[in-house]
Structures are given as C-alpha cells and as structure tokens.
Amino acid sequence: NAGVMQNPRHLVRRRGQEARLRCSPMKGHSHVYWYRQLPEEGLKFMVYLQKENIIDESGMPKERFSAEFPKEGPSILRIQQVVRGDSAAYFCASSPLVGNTEAFFGQGTRLTVV
Amino acid sequence: GENVEQHPSTLSVQEGDSAVIKCTYSDSASNYFPWYKQELGKGPQLIIDIRSNVGEKKDQRIAVTLNKTAKHFSLHITETQPEDSAVYFCAASRGNDKIIFGKGTRLHILP
C-alpha cells in the first residue's frame, strides 16, 4: 500500500505565477489535510477536505489560495499570483476517517518563489 | 480555537539517557493526541498516539502520558539512540476536526 504521494517534490515559480501542488492520499483514505511549514517552524493548518467537500478552511488565506479534492484524482492546493512569502514546504496528510484516526503525511512539496 | 503549546523547543540529551517533551492543549473537547517525528527534508512520521480514554501508552522505548484534567500530555523516550535525533511534534484533535500541532522540539542526542 503506497503512502501519501505528493508532487512535485520541488517547485520553483516566479512572482505572479500560479503554483499547483498535488496530493494523492493513501488507498482507502477519504480525508485530506494540507499544512504549511516555514523553515525552523511548526506545521500550520490550512485546510481539511473530504472528497468533493471542504470541511474546514479556517487556516487558508482568503485570497489567492484554494483547495479541492475531487471525486476522482488527487487533491490540489492552488496558489495564484505567488509572492516570495509563499515560499515554504507544503505537506499533505490523509486519513481514512475523520478526527481521531491516524493521519499519515507525504514527503511535502517545497515551493520556492523567485 | 485550539492551541497546543510544546516545550522545550530544543533538547539535548546524552546517548542512553531519557528525553521528555511536554505539551498542553486548550480545547477540552480534544480527544486524540498524536506525536510525529520529522527528519531533515522529510515529512512528519506518526510514531505514537493516545486517545482520551487512556492515560498512558507504551511502544518499546517510547511512551506517552495524558492528563485530561490538567490538559497536558508528554512523550518519553528512554535509552536514547543517535537515530532519535529529529524534530518531534505533538498535536491535538477532536473528532471530525482538524489536527493542531505544537511548534516542535528539536532533539539532539549527544555521543
């Protein structure tokens, strides 16, 4: 059973471009979380999704950021018109059920905005 | 909203000694408390978790304790080894909700 797969592992974008980060959850998992991590810092919650449904997006910036988890295919975190401050590692985790079941993380996408 | 505080931010212990990391949480409805280990350049790895209906859980050299009344929980690593060097994160969650993480503890195992 493959783990959580994130791609790309590294992404470089110029200011103003769009970044699309993909996350394929573990087989059988229907819930996905996205977190952002700055160097030497902790994991900051962004959004929590179930297939075709956003459960909690309280950690997402109001502008430029969006997330989806379609019925088919990976979850996508989309950042429009990137700025230097968006440079960070973005981690996705998946779980089979809500709340108090184990969540497993992918290896992350390291976004660099130049 | 839920807030998780973690201490210390950095911890150095001699190889073979024990390491203890402590966390407190604010939301009394939290009922699930996982711990993650993150090595450089990698994603966080779940190492142990505890649910609110138990006070202690052990897995080989790792143990977690939970005090629901005081709203704090701890990670204990005994007989530390060089491969234990990493950043450790505590977290808290209630059912049907997001997982909130502490800011992490960088653990150094000294030879």
Short mmCIF file of all heavy atoms in Angstrom, two decimals, chain A residues 22-63:
data_model
loop_
_atom_site.label_atom_id
_atom_site.label_comp_id
_atom_site.label_asym_id
_atom_site.label_seq_id
_atom_site.Cartn_x
_atom_site.Cartn_y
_atom_site.Cartn_z
N ARG A 22 0.00 18.82 -5.80
CA ARG A 22 -0.90 17.66 -5.87
C ARG A 22 -0.62 16.68 -4.73
O ARG A 22 0.53 16.50 -4.31
CB ARG A 22 -0.76 16.95 -7.21
CG ARG A 22 -1.40 17.69 -8.37
CD ARG A 22 -1.14 16.98 -9.70
NE ARG A 22 0.25 17.14 -10.10
CZ ARG A 22 0.71 18.21 -10.73
NH1 ARG A 22 -0.07 19.23 -11.02
NH2 ARG A 22 1.98 18.26 -11.08
N CYS A 23 -1.69 16.07 -4.28
CA CYS A 23 -1.60 15.09 -3.19
C CYS A 23 -2.51 13.93 -3.47
O CYS A 23 -3.73 14.10 -3.58
CB CYS A 23 -1.98 15.75 -1.87
SG CYS A 23 -2.17 14.58 -0.49
N SER A 24 -1.93 12.74 -3.57
CA SER A 24 -2.72 11.51 -3.70
C SER A 24 -2.73 10.80 -2.36
O SER A 24 -1.67 10.39 -1.87
CB SER A 24 -2.12 10.61 -4.79
OG SER A 24 -2.20 11.24 -6.06
N PRO A 25 -3.90 10.67 -1.74
CA PRO A 25 -3.94 10.05 -0.41
C PRO A 25 -3.66 8.56 -0.49
O PRO A 25 -3.61 7.96 -1.56
CB PRO A 25 -5.39 10.31 0.03
CG PRO A 25 -6.15 10.43 -1.25
CD PRO A 25 -5.22 11.06 -2.23
N MET A 26 -3.46 7.99 0.68
CA MET A 26 -3.30 6.53 0.75
C MET A 26 -4.58 5.85 0.27
O MET A 26 -5.68 6.41 0.40
CB MET A 26 -2.98 6.12 2.18
CG MET A 26 -1.59 6.51 2.63
SD MET A 26 -1.24 6.06 4.35
CE MET A 26 -1.18 4.28 4.22
N LYS A 27 -4.44 4.68 -0.25
CA LYS A 27 -5.59 3.93 -0.75
C LYS A 27 -6.60 3.73 0.37
O LYS A 27 -6.24 3.33 1.49
CB LYS A 27 -5.13 2.57 -1.30
CG LYS A 27 -6.21 1.81 -2.02
CD LYS A 27 -5.66 0.53 -2.62
CE LYS A 27 -6.74 -0.25 -3.35
NZ LYS A 27 -6.23 -1.50 -3.94
N GLY A 28 -7.84 4.03 0.08
CA GLY A 28 -8.88 3.84 1.08
C GLY A 28 -9.11 5.05 1.97
O GLY A 28 -10.04 5.07 2.76
N HIS A 29 -8.25 6.06 1.84
CA HIS A 29 -8.40 7.28 2.66
C HIS A 29 -9.27 8.28 1.93
O HIS A 29 -9.05 8.57 0.76
CB HIS A 29 -7.04 7.89 2.96
CG HIS A 29 -6.26 7.13 3.98
ND1 HIS A 29 -5.14 7.65 4.61
CD2 HIS A 29 -6.42 5.89 4.50
CE1 HIS A 29 -4.68 6.77 5.47
NE2 HIS A 29 -5.43 5.69 5.41
N SER A 30 -10.21 8.87 2.65
CA SER A 30 -11.15 9.79 2.03
C SER A 30 -11.03 11.21 2.56
O SER A 30 -11.82 12.08 2.18
CB SER A 30 -12.58 9.28 2.25
OG SER A 30 -12.83 9.14 3.64
N HIS A 31 -10.06 11.43 3.47
CA HIS A 31 -9.88 12.76 4.06
C HIS A 31 -8.45 13.22 3.86
O HIS A 31 -7.51 12.44 4.00
CB HIS A 31 -10.23 12.74 5.56
CG HIS A 31 -11.67 12.46 5.81
ND1 HIS A 31 -12.20 11.20 5.80
CD2 HIS A 31 -12.70 13.30 6.06
CE1 HIS A 31 -13.50 11.27 6.04
NE2 HIS A 31 -13.82 12.52 6.20
N VAL A 32 -8.33 14.49 3.54
CA VAL A 32 -7.02 15.08 3.26
C VAL A 32 -6.88 16.38 4.04
O VAL A 32 -7.80 17.19 4.12
CB VAL A 32 -6.86 15.35 1.74
CG1 VAL A 32 -5.72 16.30 1.47
CG2 VAL A 32 -6.60 14.04 0.99
N TYR A 33 -5.67 16.57 4.60
CA TYR A 33 -5.31 17.83 5.27
C TYR A 33 -4.14 18.45 4.51
O TYR A 33 -3.26 17.73 4.04
CB TYR A 33 -4.80 17.57 6.70
CG TYR A 33 -5.66 16.75 7.62
CD1 TYR A 33 -5.67 15.36 7.54
CD2 TYR A 33 -6.40 17.35 8.64
CE1 TYR A 33 -6.42 14.60 8.42
CE2 TYR A 33 -7.15 16.59 9.53
CZ TYR A 33 -7.16 15.21 9.41
OH TYR A 33 -7.88 14.46 10.30
N TRP A 34 -4.12 19.76 4.46
CA TRP A 34 -2.95 20.48 3.95
C TRP A 34 -2.37 21.34 5.06
O TRP A 34 -3.11 22.03 5.78
CB TRP A 34 -3.32 21.37 2.76
CG TRP A 34 -3.52 20.64 1.47
CD1 TRP A 34 -4.71 20.19 0.95
CD2 TRP A 34 -2.52 20.29 0.52
NE1 TRP A 34 -4.51 19.58 -0.27
CE2 TRP A 34 -3.16 19.63 -0.56
CE3 TRP A 34 -1.13 20.48 0.44
CZ2 TRP A 34 -2.48 19.15 -1.69
CZ3 TRP A 34 -0.45 20.02 -0.66
CH2 TRP A 34 -1.12 19.36 -1.72
N TYR A 35 -1.03 21.30 5.17
CA TYR A 35 -0.31 22.10 6.16
C TYR A 35 0.83 22.83 5.46
O TYR A 35 1.38 22.38 4.47
CB TYR A 35 0.28 21.22 7.26
CG TYR A 35 -0.75 20.65 8.20
CD1 TYR A 35 -1.46 19.50 7.88
CD2 TYR A 35 -1.02 21.27 9.42
CE1 TYR A 35 -2.41 18.99 8.74
CE2 TYR A 35 -1.98 20.76 10.29
CZ TYR A 35 -2.67 19.63 9.93
OH TYR A 35 -3.61 19.13 10.79
N ARG A 36 1.21 23.94 6.06
CA ARG A 36 2.33 24.73 5.55
C ARG A 36 3.39 24.79 6.65
O ARG A 36 3.07 24.93 7.83
CB ARG A 36 1.82 26.12 5.23
CG ARG A 36 2.85 27.16 4.91
CD ARG A 36 2.14 28.44 4.58
NE ARG A 36 3.01 29.56 4.74
CZ ARG A 36 3.03 30.60 3.91
NH1 ARG A 36 2.22 30.64 2.90
NH2 ARG A 36 3.86 31.59 4.12
N GLN A 37 4.66 24.68 6.23
CA GLN A 37 5.75 24.72 7.20
C GLN A 37 6.84 25.65 6.68
O GLN A 37 7.42 25.43 5.62
CB GLN A 37 6.33 23.32 7.44
CG GLN A 37 7.37 23.28 8.54
CD GLN A 37 7.85 21.87 8.84
OE1 GLN A 37 8.05 21.07 7.93
NE2 GLN A 37 8.03 21.56 10.11
N LEU A 38 7.11 26.68 7.48
CA LEU A 38 8.24 27.56 7.18
C LEU A 38 9.50 26.99 7.82
O LEU A 38 9.41 26.24 8.79
CB LEU A 38 7.96 28.97 7.70
CG LEU A 38 6.81 29.71 6.98
CD1 LEU A 38 6.43 30.97 7.73
CD2 LEU A 38 7.24 30.05 5.56
N PRO A 39 10.69 27.34 7.31
CA PRO A 39 11.93 26.81 7.89
C PRO A 39 12.00 27.03 9.40
O PRO A 39 11.71 28.11 9.89
CB PRO A 39 13.02 27.61 7.15
CG PRO A 39 12.39 27.99 5.87
CD PRO A 39 10.94 28.22 6.16
N GLU A 40 12.38 25.99 10.12
CA GLU A 40 12.54 26.04 11.57
C GLU A 40 11.22 26.33 12.31
O GLU A 40 11.25 26.73 13.47
CB GLU A 40 13.59 27.08 11.98
CG GLU A 40 14.95 26.89 11.32
CD GLU A 40 15.60 25.58 11.69
OE1 GLU A 40 15.56 25.20 12.88
OE2 GLU A 40 16.15 24.91 10.79
N GLU A 41 10.11 26.10 11.65
CA GLU A 41 8.83 26.34 12.32
C GLU A 41 7.95 25.10 12.29
O GLU A 41 8.28 24.09 11.69
CB GLU A 41 8.12 27.53 11.67
CG GLU A 41 8.82 28.85 11.92
CD GLU A 41 7.96 30.03 11.57
OE1 GLU A 41 6.75 29.86 11.35
OE2 GLU A 41 8.52 31.14 11.53
N GLY A 42 6.82 25.21 12.96
CA GLY A 42 5.91 24.09 13.05
C GLY A 42 5.00 23.97 11.84
O GLY A 42 5.17 24.64 10.83
N LEU A 43 4.03 23.09 11.96
CA LEU A 43 3.07 22.81 10.89
C LEU A 43 1.81 23.63 11.12
O LEU A 43 1.11 23.44 12.12
CB LEU A 43 2.74 21.32 10.88
CG LEU A 43 3.92 20.42 10.54
CD1 LEU A 43 3.80 19.08 11.23
CD2 LEU A 43 3.99 20.24 9.03
N LYS A 44 1.53 24.50 10.18
CA LYS A 44 0.36 25.36 10.32
C LYS A 44 -0.79 24.82 9.48
O LYS A 44 -0.64 24.67 8.26
CB LYS A 44 0.69 26.79 9.91
CG LYS A 44 -0.45 27.76 10.16
CD LYS A 44 -0.04 29.18 9.85
CE LYS A 44 -1.22 30.12 10.10
NZ LYS A 44 -0.94 31.50 9.69
N PHE A 45 -1.91 24.56 10.12
CA PHE A 45 -3.07 24.01 9.43
C PHE A 45 -3.59 24.99 8.38
O PHE A 45 -3.68 26.19 8.62
CB PHE A 45 -4.18 23.71 10.44
CG PHE A 45 -5.51 23.40 9.81
CD1 PHE A 45 -5.74 22.15 9.26
CD2 PHE A 45 -6.51 24.36 9.75
CE1 PHE A 45 -6.96 21.86 8.67
CE2 PHE A 45 -7.73 24.09 9.17
CZ PHE A 45 -7.96 22.84 8.63
N MET A 46 -3.93 24.45 7.21
CA MET A 46 -4.52 25.29 6.16
C MET A 46 -5.96 24.88 5.88
O MET A 46 -6.88 25.68 6.01
CB MET A 46 -3.69 25.19 4.88
CG MET A 46 -2.27 25.68 5.01
SD MET A 46 -1.38 25.61 3.45
CE MET A 46 -2.12 27.01 2.59
N VAL A 47 -6.15 23.61 5.49
CA VAL A 47 -7.48 23.18 5.05
C VAL A 47 -7.64 21.69 5.27
O VAL A 47 -6.66 20.95 5.24
CB VAL A 47 -7.69 23.58 3.56
CG1 VAL A 47 -6.70 22.86 2.65
CG2 VAL A 47 -9.12 23.34 3.11
N TYR A 48 -8.90 21.30 5.46
CA TYR A 48 -9.26 19.90 5.72
C TYR A 48 -10.40 19.57 4.76
O TYR A 48 -11.43 20.23 4.76
CB TYR A 48 -9.64 19.78 7.18
CG TYR A 48 -10.14 18.43 7.66
CD1 TYR A 48 -9.72 17.25 7.10
CD2 TYR A 48 -11.02 18.37 8.75
CE1 TYR A 48 -10.18 16.03 7.57
CE2 TYR A 48 -11.47 17.16 9.23
CZ TYR A 48 -11.05 16.00 8.64
OH TYR A 48 -11.49 14.79 9.12
N LEU A 49 -10.19 18.53 3.94
CA LEU A 49 -11.16 18.21 2.90
C LEU A 49 -11.57 16.74 2.95
O LEU A 49 -10.77 15.87 3.33
CB LEU A 49 -10.55 18.45 1.50
CG LEU A 49 -9.93 19.80 1.21
CD1 LEU A 49 -8.42 19.68 1.15
CD2 LEU A 49 -10.45 20.36 -0.08
N GLN A 50 -12.79 16.53 2.54
CA GLN A 50 -13.29 15.21 2.26
C GLN A 50 -13.56 15.22 0.76
O GLN A 50 -13.68 16.29 0.15
CB GLN A 50 -14.59 15.00 3.05
CG GLN A 50 -15.19 13.63 2.98
CD GLN A 50 -16.47 13.54 3.79
OE1 GLN A 50 -16.98 14.56 4.26
NE2 GLN A 50 -16.98 12.36 3.98
N LYS A 51 -13.70 14.07 0.17
CA LYS A 51 -13.94 14.05 -1.29
C LYS A 51 -15.14 14.95 -1.63
O LYS A 51 -16.23 14.80 -1.06
CB LYS A 51 -14.18 12.63 -1.75
CG LYS A 51 -12.88 11.88 -2.01
CD LYS A 51 -13.11 10.62 -2.80
CE LYS A 51 -11.81 9.87 -3.00
NZ LYS A 51 -10.93 10.56 -3.97
N GLU A 52 -14.90 15.88 -2.54
CA GLU A 52 -15.89 16.81 -3.08
C GLU A 52 -16.45 17.76 -2.01
O GLU A 52 -17.49 18.39 -2.23
CB GLU A 52 -17.06 16.06 -3.73
CG GLU A 52 -16.62 15.18 -4.90
CD GLU A 52 -17.80 14.53 -5.61
OE1 GLU A 52 -18.33 13.53 -5.06
OE2 GLU A 52 -18.19 15.04 -6.67
N ASN A 53 -15.75 17.91 -0.89
CA ASN A 53 -16.29 18.74 0.17
C ASN A 53 -15.15 19.35 1.00
O ASN A 53 -14.22 18.65 1.39
CB ASN A 53 -17.20 17.89 1.07
CG ASN A 53 -17.92 18.72 2.10
OD1 ASN A 53 -18.23 19.88 1.87
ND2 ASN A 53 -18.19 18.12 3.25
N ILE A 54 -15.24 20.66 1.26
CA ILE A 54 -14.29 21.30 2.17
C ILE A 54 -14.90 21.29 3.56
O ILE A 54 -15.97 21.87 3.78
CB ILE A 54 -13.98 22.74 1.72
CG1 ILE A 54 -13.28 22.73 0.36
CG2 ILE A 54 -13.10 23.44 2.76
CD1 ILE A 54 -13.04 24.11 -0.22
N ILE A 55 -14.23 20.65 4.51
CA ILE A 55 -14.76 20.55 5.86
C ILE A 55 -14.38 21.78 6.68
O ILE A 55 -15.19 22.34 7.42
CB ILE A 55 -14.27 19.27 6.56
CG1 ILE A 55 -14.74 18.04 5.78
CG2 ILE A 55 -14.75 19.22 8.00
CD1 ILE A 55 -14.19 16.73 6.30
N ASP A 56 -13.12 22.20 6.56
CA ASP A 56 -12.61 23.30 7.37
C ASP A 56 -11.50 24.00 6.60
O ASP A 56 -10.50 23.38 6.31
CB ASP A 56 -12.09 22.76 8.71
CG ASP A 56 -11.67 23.86 9.68
OD1 ASP A 56 -11.33 24.98 9.25
OD2 ASP A 56 -11.67 23.60 10.91
N GLU A 57 -11.71 25.25 6.26
CA GLU A 57 -10.67 26.01 5.55
C GLU A 57 -10.27 27.24 6.36
O GLU A 57 -9.82 28.24 5.81
CB GLU A 57 -11.14 26.42 4.15
CG GLU A 57 -12.42 27.21 4.12
CD GLU A 57 -12.86 27.57 2.69
OE1 GLU A 57 -12.05 27.39 1.75
OE2 GLU A 57 -14.00 28.02 2.53
N SER A 58 -10.38 27.13 7.66
CA SER A 58 -10.12 28.28 8.53
C SER A 58 -8.66 28.73 8.50
O SER A 58 -8.36 29.86 8.88
CB SER A 58 -10.54 27.97 9.96
OG SER A 58 -9.86 26.83 10.44
N GLY A 59 -7.75 27.88 8.06
CA GLY A 59 -6.34 28.25 8.00
C GLY A 59 -5.88 28.75 6.65
O GLY A 59 -4.71 29.10 6.48
N MET A 60 -6.76 28.80 5.72
CA MET A 60 -6.39 29.24 4.36
C MET A 60 -6.45 30.77 4.26
O MET A 60 -7.42 31.38 4.71
CB MET A 60 -7.37 28.66 3.34
CG MET A 60 -7.20 27.19 3.13
SD MET A 60 -5.99 26.83 1.89
CE MET A 60 -7.03 26.97 0.44
N PRO A 61 -5.45 31.38 3.66
CA PRO A 61 -5.57 32.82 3.36
C PRO A 61 -6.80 33.05 2.49
O PRO A 61 -7.17 32.21 1.66
CB PRO A 61 -4.28 33.12 2.59
CG PRO A 61 -3.32 32.05 3.03
CD PRO A 61 -4.14 30.83 3.26
N LYS A 62 -7.42 34.22 2.68
CA LYS A 62 -8.69 34.48 1.99
C LYS A 62 -8.51 34.67 0.50
O LYS A 62 -9.41 34.39 -0.29
CB LYS A 62 -9.34 35.75 2.58
CG LYS A 62 -9.71 35.63 4.04
CD LYS A 62 -10.77 34.59 4.28
CE LYS A 62 -11.11 34.54 5.76
NZ LYS A 62 -11.62 33.22 6.17
N GLU A 63 -7.36 35.14 0.12
CA GLU A 63 -7.12 35.41 -1.30
C GLU A 63 -6.00 34.53 -1.83
O GLU A 63 -5.10 34.13 -1.10
CB GLU A 63 -6.77 36.89 -1.49
CG GLU A 63 -7.90 37.82 -1.08
CD GLU A 63 -7.54 39.28 -1.24
OE1 GLU A 63 -6.37 39.59 -1.52
OE2 GLU A 63 -8.43 40.13 -1.06
#
